[in-house]
Each structure stands twice: as structure tokens, then as C-alpha cells.
Amino acid sequence: MSGRTWGASAPAKVILLGEHAVVFGKPAVSVAIGLRLRCKIRPAAVSSLNGVPLTPQNYSYVSACLARHGAPPTAVLTDSDFPSGSGLGSSAAVTVALLAALNASKGDLKEDVVAREAFEVECEVQGRASPIDTSTCAHGNGILVQRQRGDGFLWEISMDTRRWCVHDLPVPKMTLVIGFTGKSKPTGPLVAKVKRYVDHTTFARDIVSEIGDVTMEGVKQMAQGDLEGLGRTMTKDHKLLAILGVSTRELDKMVSSVLPYSYGAKLTGAGGGGSMVALTDQPQKVMEIIKNKGGQPFAADTGVPGVRIE
Ligand code: PMV
């Protein structure tokens, strides 16, 4: 690390379609949004995150990144435009930005190397994961993860019987509004809860397959610039995620209240709290409704770059 400070930033992400099902190898679509997390590293007497020394009990993503790189004691400083645990990929953004800074300090930064390493760190810390979050934070713009290689292929990874091919996905011009419930839930336990459900019932397995089908419908609609269709597909996906047991009363309420002013809306990310996203052409109205329902609204720009050295 040679005594100096290194820094990188990574964007937040919004999963438009396919969360949870993607952990079982189904397709998912995600976009990077114009909120960023910045990370700086410098050599120190003990490793810490924002001044708090690392222990085996805290900040497991940060510890896992430092261990992976065999880093000497390091002070890690982060500053973020978006809340952690909000379903917007804060753990993926920290992991990607920190790994980018560590790679840069060794004189080498390749997006796909960072994306792959970040996915491996997420799996190690979370137990189960898919590469959708980390690859979106690393590559930016739009990402499609699916089993087969297609247009815009970037890289692939396999795990047991699952295979994910990561693709760059062109994103039509669209306006997204996010509503954060203010409640954070860690991703790992929600992913584990869905796995138990899927392991025990064919009904849950069918729902996961249906989410996969709905996601591919949305991919076609995106390619055609059919925002009305994409919105309907997002709302359908929300209903399926609710059946899987990852929605909450607040998320359902926020989604149904914005629907009269949106093409569609759904929870985004792991659920259990976190955030919802609406595809709309009336962003001000949707933000007002989210606020009235007790949520924290954000307007989200798309078409933003992935990880960057700062
Ligand atoms: O809530 P987030 O940002 O951690 O998103 C999790 C997305 C899942 O599909 C639930 C898990 C994964 O690794 O894909």
C-alpha cells in the first residue's frame, strides 16, 4: 500500500427484476443509480472502519476484503450518499469500492476482477448470494445475470449446479423513484428463509421459476423501450416476492399507494424492510406519497458508471 492513501467509489444499485430467484440461478436485472459510496484506505497501526477497530464480530465485509488481499493493518474510511441496509446494495458497494482501492494500491484495477472478488466475499460473509449486486456496483449501467451467455456478455461464474453469466444490459431512458422504509434487515437471513421455503415446498420452487419467467418478459420489454409493460412486470414480480414471504406491510402499502401514479412498483433487494422502487413519469407525486406513508424518497438517475478510482 506504500504509505499513501488510495480511494475508490461505487454506485448504489436497484434490482428491477429477479431478486431472490437469482440466488437459485434464475435471471435478474439491476441498474446502477446516481448515489455513490466512497472509500479510502491508508496504512494504520490497527485495522478500522471509520475509526472503529475491526473485531471478529463487526464489519465482516471489510474484514473479509482485507484478509483476502493479505493487507497490512489498514484504516478504511467510507462516506455514502445512501443508507446501509436499505436494499440499495450498501454492502456490495463497500465491498466493491474497498476491493478496488486494494487492487489499485497494487497497481492493477480491472472491473471484472473486482466484480468476481466482491461476489466471492459476499458468499463468504452471507453464506449464499448471487453476483447481481456486486456486478452492478462494479460495472455500473444495467446488468443482466442469466444462465446462458448472450449479447453484452462480460464474465461468468459457476457454483454447485448454478451458473451465472453477467451481461451489460442497455437501459432505456426511464425515471425511478425509491422509497426507503427506514427499516434495515440484513440480506443473509432473508436469503436463508427463502431457501428453507424452496427446499420444503414445490409451491415455492414454482414461484421462483415464475419470477425467472417474469424477469425474461421484462428484459424483452426493456429492449423494446416498453415502459408500461416493464412496469406491469415489476408489479407482478412484487406479488410473487410477497408470496415468497419477503415483503412487509409497509412495503406493500407503499407499492400499492404509488401504483396509480406509476407504470409499476415493487420491493427491491432482499426485502423484509429496506426499499421499494417505482417506475414512473410522475416522480414528484410518487415522492410525495412515499413521504406521506412514512418512507424516505430518493429520485434515482440511471446510466451511471461502476467502480471508479477517486
Ligand atoms: O438487499 P440487497 O441489496 O442485499 O439485495 C439482495 C438481493 C438478493 O437476490 C436477495 C440476494 C443476492 O445475493 O442476489
Side-chain angles (χ1 to χ4, degrees):
M1 211 181 290
S2 73
R4 59 170 275 200
T5 299
W6 296 88
S9 74
K13 63 89 216 201
V14 175
I15 299 180
L16 292 184
L17 292 164
E19 51 271 87
H20 284 290
V22 66
V23 181
F24 297 87
K26 303 292 177 198
V29 171
S30 177
V31 291
I33 59 171
L35 302 170
R36 295 188 81 81
L37 179 139
R38 290 158 290 275
C39 172
K40 276 189 197 149
I41 55 170
R42 61 179 155 69
V46 290
S47 289
S48 62
L49 175 65
N50 296 328
V52 179
L54 299 185
T55 71
Q57 282 75 41
N58 65 11
Y59 309 129
S60 36
Y61 292 93
V62 172
S63 297
C65 292
L66 296 177
R68 194 185 165 95
H69 274 258
T74 302
V76 180
L77 293 166
T78 61
D79 126 63
S80 178
D81 301 332
F82 57 103
S84 66
S86 53
L88 302 180
S90 55
S91 51
V94 170
T95 305
V96 164
L98 175 52
L99 289 170
L102 288 164
N103 275 291
S105 74
K106 294 175 177 168
D108 195 17
L109 178 71
K110 290 196 188 78
E111 272 180 14
D112 60 333
V113 169
V114 170
R116 207 181 273 271
E117 280 186 358
F119 170 56
E120 284 163 7
V121 165
E122 263 206 358
C123 286
E124 183 187 324
V125 173
Q126 242 166 253
R128 267 172 80 80
S130 82
I132 189 78
D133 281 17
T134 39
S135 54
T136 310
C137 294
H139 298 293
N141 297 313
I143 292 289
L144 165 66
V145 170
Q146 63 176 12
R147 200 172 165 80
Q148 317 76 16
R149 283 188 188 203
D151 291 346
F153 172 78
L154 295 170
W155 55 277
E156 68 169 270
I157 193 157
S158 298
M159 213 170 253
D160 47 64
T161 58
R162 297 167 294 166
R163 175 182 187 224
W164 296 279
C165 296
V166 176
H167 300 79
D168 175 47
L169 184 73
V171 179
K173 201 171 159 38
M174 58 187 183
T175 306
L176 297 173
V177 172
I178 293 155
F180 176 39
T181 57
K183 291 195 179 140
S184 308
K185 264 281 171 75
T187 303
L190 284 152
V191 168
K193 174 178 153 176
V194 174
K195 176 151 182 5
R196 281 195 300 277
Y197 195 17
V198 166
D199 283 349
H200 289 107
T201 69
T202 45
F203 175 70
R205 283 198 283 283
D206 290 347
I207 297 293
V208 163
S209 290
E210 207 173 326
I211 293 178
D213 296 344
V214 156
T215 299
M216 289 320 290
E217 206 174 297
V219 170
K220 276 191 214 132
Q221 289 156 335
M222 271 177 96
Q224 291 159 356
D226 174 11
L227 297 189
E228 282 179 29
L230 176 62
R232 278 195 304 276
T233 302
M234 287 167 64
T235 308
K236 225 190 265 179
D237 191 19
H238 178 78
K239 290 181 184 150
L240 295 168
L241 288 164
I243 297 173
L244 272 190
V246 295
S247 190
T248 62
R249 269 224 328 262
E250 284 108 324
L251 284 167
D252 288 343
K253 232 189 236 165
M254 268 197 227
V255 165
S256 58
S257 329
V258 303
L259 279 180
Y261 309 96
S262 307
Y263 296 122
K266 63 183 277 288
L267 72 83
T268 184
S275 298
M276 48 75 68
V277 58
L279 175 60
T280 180
D281 56 8
Q282 298 180 64
Q284 289 310 327
K285 184 74 194 166
V286 168
M287 298 223 300
E288 199 182 298
I289 295 171
I290 291 170
K291 224 187 230 166
N292 288 341
K293 295 284 160 202
Q296 193 179 339
F298 301 89
D301 296 329
T302 56
V304 304
V307 68
R308 286 288 173 271
I309 291 303
E310 301 246 321

